[in-house]
Amino acid sequence: MVPNPRRLAPSVLVGLLALAGCSGGGTQTGDATPVTAPATIATTTAPATTTAPATASTAPAPTPDAVMPALHSRTYEQARTEFSRQDLSPTRLTAAAQHKDVTLPRDHDDWYICDSSPRPGAPLPATTTVTVRLAQDFSDCTTSFNGYLYEENDPSSAP
């Protein structure tokens, strides 16, 4: 059986490298005895100089952008808590009503998040404001008559 050259090449290469590494440490002479360089001792001293140690840059390394958390089906209060937990400022949250015919009350902490912008998992740079669309009942998140909660408020619906 003839050996496969592809399998033989790595073995030959390893063998050659091993032999090259085993050669003597000094210069070879004609009589095969290694010659070592003579040791020299410096008798002069250099003047002492003082150099400041290298210091690290004082500029902080850039931090990666935060990632938009998944807020769907949570209350507005839970979203603010999640932002604080992730070291994001809750003041970045902007609340809006999910439907055109609903006015968002001043106290909407117990309203449910139907949608958010940017989407969950998207990068969240420090300058980005997060808009969450809220509904009083979570079941209202999926109810819409052309953007209205109540069909009778939709101008395109037939009376």
Side-chain angles (χ1 to χ4, degrees), residues 99-122:
H99 302 98
K100 298 174 189 176
D101 57 342
V102 174
T103 303
L104 196 63
R106 181 177 297 253
D107 181 21
H108 48 266
D109 285 350
D110 58 345
W111 283 42
Y112 293 92
I113 297 175
C114 301
D115 194 16
S116 64
S117 176
R119 296 279 182 206

Side-chain angles (χ1 to χ4, degrees), residues 66-147:
V67 176
M68 177 64 183
L71 301 174
H72 186 265
S73 76
R74 295 185 182 187
T75 64
Y76 187 72
E77 183 177 5
Q78 290 171 335
R80 289 183 6 192
T81 302
E82 180 64 20
F83 263 54
S84 294
R85 189 182 70 74
Q86 291 190 19
D87 292 329
L88 300 170
S89 174
T91 59
R92 294 174 65 180
L93 286 170
T94 301
Q98 173 74 1
H99 302 98
K100 298 174 189 176
D101 57 342
V102 174
T103 303
L104 196 63
R106 181 177 297 253
D107 181 21
H108 48 266
D109 285 350
D110 58 345
W111 283 42
Y112 293 92
I113 297 175
C114 301
D115 194 16
S116 64
S117 176
R119 296 279 182 206
L124 194 58
T127 58
T128 302
T129 300
V130 175
T131 302
V132 289
R133 300 271 178 192
L134 306 175
Q136 188 171 13
D137 295 320
F138 183 67
S139 62
D140 291 341
C141 286
T142 57
T143 303
S144 180
F145 298 96
N146 296 316

Side-chain angles (χ1 to χ4, degrees), residues 2-15:
V2 177
N4 186 346
R6 288 186 181 155
R7 292 185 184 171
L8 187 60
S11 300
V12 171
L13 182 60
V14 169

Side-chain angles (χ1 to χ4, degrees), residues 142-153:
T142 57
T143 303
S144 180
F145 298 96
N146 296 316
Y148 295 88
L149 179 59
Y150 303 105
E151 186 175 17
E152 61 267 12
N153 294 338

Side-chain angles (χ1 to χ4, degrees), residues 24-43:
T27 306
Q28 297 291 329
T29 61
D31 62 354
T33 58
V35 177
T36 58
T40 59
I41 300 174
T43 57

